[in-house]
């Protein structure tokens, strides 16, 4: 069971390991959006957007719902929003540590 969980986590984080995918998730944390809406906000090519959305769908991180001739994407699990917030806090903590180290070095 433990190995299965570790594999799931590794696959999950691998799916998050691209800046465009993170940007997509940040946008979807604000609400559902179509591919065209995501593209216009990100300024990315259609093929790149489709490729990244496909990866997120394959890992069950986002879901696409067909509405007429367009697909509306949303986060599959609202806890993704919390995960992104935690990642931001970890990043901020890292920056604080770097800044403190630089301050100590400049004092020497």
């Amino acid at each position: 069971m433990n190995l299965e969980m570790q594999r799931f986590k590794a696959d999950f984080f691998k799916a998050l390991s691209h800046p465009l995918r993170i940007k997509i998730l940040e946008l979807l944390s604000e609400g559902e959006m179509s591919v065209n809406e995501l593209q216009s906000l990100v300024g990315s090519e259609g093929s790149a957007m489709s490729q990244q959305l496909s990866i997120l769908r394959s890992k069950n991180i986002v879901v696409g719902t067909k509405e007429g001739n367009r697909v509306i994407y949303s986060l599959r699990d609202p806890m993704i929003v919390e995960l992104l917030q935690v990642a931001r806090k970890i990043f901020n903590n890292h920056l604080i540590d770097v800044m403190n180290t630089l301050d100590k070095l400049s004092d020497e």
Side-chain angles (χ1 to χ4, degrees):
M1 177 71 156
N2 205 13
L3 182 58
E4 290 174 36
M5 179 58 70
Q6 291 166 345
R7 282 189 182 138
F8 170 81
K9 288 177 182 178
D11 286 342
F12 178 79
F13 285 113
K14 193 183 305 181
L16 300 180
S17 68
H18 191 282
L20 182 53
R21 292 193 288 264
I22 297 296
K23 182 65 177 172
I24 291 168
L25 295 176
E26 289 173 342
L27 290 169
L28 291 177
S29 70
E30 298 171 12
E32 299 177 335
M33 292 187 191
S34 69
V35 176
N36 290 340
E37 291 170 316
L38 288 166
Q39 276 180 269
S40 67
L41 291 169
V42 172
S44 176
E45 294 181 14
S47 60
M49 182 64 68
S50 294
Q51 180 183 20
Q52 302 309 327
L53 283 167
S54 175
I55 292 168
L56 292 170
R57 269 194 331 265
S58 72
K59 297 299 180 184
N60 293 314
I61 297 172
V62 301
V63 292
T65 307
K66 195 117 167 112
E67 288 186 6
N69 61 351
R70 60 187 205 149
V71 179
I72 303 298
Y73 286 93
S74 62
L75 299 176
R76 183 176 189 89
D77 189 325
M79 290 195 68
I80 294 291
V81 175
E82 293 177 41
L83 178 65
L84 294 171
Q85 291 169 343
V86 168
R88 180 181 297 263
K89 288 177 184 175
I90 292 169
F91 177 76
N92 287 341
N93 290 341
H94 174 73
L95 285 180
I96 290 168
D97 289 345
V98 169
M99 290 171 59
N100 288 337
T101 301
L102 289 173
D103 282 345
K104 287 178 186 174
L105 289 173
S106 67
D107 290 341
E108 293 178 358

